[in-house]
Amino acid sequence: VYRNSRFIGSVGFDYRFHPNMTSYFEAGYTRVDGNNGQSAFQIVPTSFGVSGVFGNKSVEPFAGLGISLVSFSEELPTGGVSGTKIGTDFRLGARVGTRAIQPSQHPNGPNGPSQLDIEFMVGGRIHHAFGIGQGFDLGVFRVGLGAVFRF
């Protein structure tokens, strides 16, 4: 009824609370129409957790584990169903530093981003681990590419 694979844009925030640890939050949105426009499926995947961070300002590998909450809504001609599924989020990747942002040389210069990184990430969301669970299985394998601003 719906396409199996779909690009989902998302926005995330990391907070470094230790030189080798960050906490993360990420949220996205997508809507898929099916049955010739007679039904629709929407999801809002969110995840939060902690990541171990290694390396230096040039290359920074990371691995993270957290909780995933996916709110979903399916609209059908005969009604609909909605809810939230909880699961496990995992990620593995690296941030590669660029020289696109140069630090201000002025002592009273603006305090903006100090570095722009390019992030490569693979990860997943597991909802029916080991065959346990009911309803929609909203688990996914993810591949990500993004820009990261460091403040």
Side-chain angles (χ1 to χ4, degrees), residues 13 22 50 80 86 90 97 108 113 119 124:
F13 300 95
T22 65
V50 295
I86 188 167
F90 63 92
N108 296 325
E119 180 177 287

Side-chain angles (χ1 to χ4, degrees), residues 56-73:
N56 53 43
K57 285 193 172 197
S58 296
V59 178
E60 191 175 70
F62 63 90
L65 185 64
I67 294 174
S68 172
L69 296 171
V70 180
S71 296
F72 65 90
S73 171

Side-chain angles (χ1 to χ4, degrees), residues 16-151:
R16 189 177 300 253
F17 61 90
H18 181 273
N20 295 100
M21 298 291 288
T22 65
S23 60
Y24 66 85
F25 172 79
E26 181 180 354
Y29 172 80
T30 192
R31 176 186 169 103
V32 181
D33 292 322
N35 292 332
N36 296 321
Q38 296 181 19
S39 63
F41 190 72
Q42 299 179 76
I43 63 170
V44 179
T46 59
S47 58
F48 52 94
V50 295
S51 293
V53 181
F54 313 97
N56 53 43
K57 285 193 172 197
S58 296
V59 178
E60 191 175 70
F62 63 90
L65 185 64
I67 294 174
S68 172
L69 296 171
V70 180
S71 296
F72 65 90
S73 171
E74 185 176 32
E75 303 164 5
L76 303 166
T78 58
V81 63
S82 63
T84 302
K85 299 278 291 192
I86 188 167
T88 303
D89 178 76
F90 63 92
R91 56 188 62 210
L92 180 67
R95 294 179 190 101
V96 178
T98 68
R99 297 178 194 262
I101 297 177
Q102 297 296 321
S104 174
Q105 300 298 319
H106 192 277
N108 296 325
N111 292 331
S114 62
Q115 183 170 327
L116 171 66
D117 295 345
I118 303 298
E119 180 177 287
F120 304 95
M121 186 266 299
V122 295
R125 187 171 62 230
I126 302 171
H127 285 278
H128 289 186
F130 309 111
I132 300 170
Q134 298 177 7
F136 292 119
D137 183 357
L138 301 174
V140 301
F141 173 74
R142 306 183 309 154
V143 176
L145 173 66
V148 177
F149 293 96
R150 293 191 194 198
F151 289 88

